[in-house]
Amino acid sequence: MVESLSGIPPFPPEKAALRRELIAARRSLSPESRRTAARALARSALALPELAGARTVAAYVSVGAEPGTRELLDALREAGKRVLLPLLLPDNDLDWAAYEGPGSLAEAAHPGKMRLLEPSGPPLGPQAVTGADAVLLPGLAVDRRGMRLGRGGGSYDRVLERLERAGAHPALVVLLYDEEVVARVPEEPHDHPVQAVATPSGVVRFTP
């Protein structure tokens, strides 16, 4: 069991074990539960002032049992935001391209272990993310300090390092299911805290 903010048993300290547990819990959700959660997540995220005031939002296309982002992407675009989506590079780093609607998505050239959808427009370069006002991050959990547990591929660690090197300070928001906001996740020196988490039930903010 993963320890939630409401209490109970502590999870194992190993990131790999925790990731397996969280991924299994996601896969146990029914398709209808995922669709309902995606609609509610879009409403929660859109209520964030950081997104309402953003001109450019770096986001991502959800895959598999991840909290769904497709409705949120379309809502951001309809609101006049410039939405950047990642392109996975062979070394697991991320390039970026503009989202031009559902018809602009194509299967990734370097899909890795998952079937990824990516924008088909021209690549803007890995540095494009440094111009975003808000960055939406995938993850498996976040704790009460704002520390995020990712999937372990390192792609977003590179993004966060790139932002830091550039002196860029966009709002960092992770998108999760409700039960993935936990008491504590294992952390390493390179991990970066986020400012907020959006879940189907609402938003939790973290103070530095």
Side-chain angles (χ1 to χ4, degrees):
M1 290 286 291
V2 174
E3 180 183 358
S4 71
L5 286 176
S6 58
I8 347 217
F11 45 67
E14 303 85 357
K15 282 188 173 183
L18 179 55
R19 287 186 178 111
R20 286 194 297 271
E21 184 179 345
L22 292 163
I23 290 170
R26 284 183 172 184
R27 288 175 176 164
S28 72
L29 296 172
S30 69
E32 180 55 36
S33 294
R34 295 178 195 174
R35 286 191 291 270
T36 300
R39 290 191 292 270
L41 178 62
R43 290 193 296 270
S44 293
L46 290 169
L48 278 163
E50 291 90 341
L51 292 188
R55 292 168 296 178
T56 299
V57 178
Y60 62 96
V61 183
S62 55
V63 295
E66 284 185 326
T69 64
R70 300 289 285 274
E71 290 192 35
L72 176 57
L73 297 179
D74 290 333
L76 289 169
R77 188 165 174 268
E78 288 166 11
K81 315 296 182 187
R82 181 177 184 241
V83 179
L84 302 180
L85 295 178
L87 300 160
L88 184 65
L89 298 174
D91 65 354
N92 264 10
D93 204 350
L94 298 179
D95 202 334
W96 300 85
Y99 177 54
E100 301 295 347
S104 70
L105 297 176
E107 193 163 343
H110 308 286
K113 296 179 181 178
M114 295 181 289
R115 184 176 177 271
L116 303 177
L117 291 178
E118 297 181 338
S120 54
L124 303 173
Q127 288 294 122
V129 70
T130 64
D133 302 300
V135 178
L136 302 181
L137 302 167
L140 290 171
V142 69
D143 69 19
R144 63 181 61 174
R145 303 165 301 160
M147 301 305 298
R148 180 186 70 98
L149 177 70
R151 294 187 69 102
S155 297
Y156 278 88
D157 290 330
R158 297 190 193 189
V159 169
L160 295 173
E161 289 167 8
R162 184 166 289 123
L163 293 170
E164 188 172 32
R165 287 197 306 269
H169 302 285
L172 302 177
V173 181
V174 64
L175 305 178
L176 298 173
Y177 293 109
D178 294 326
E179 59 274 14
E180 294 169 346
V181 181
V182 302
R184 195 172 184 88
V185 300
E187 67 175 287
E188 297 177 67
H190 63 265
D191 290 334
H192 293 72
V194 300
Q195 281 78 54
V197 56
T199 75
S201 291
V203 171
V204 179
R205 293 184 178 279
F206 307 104
T207 55

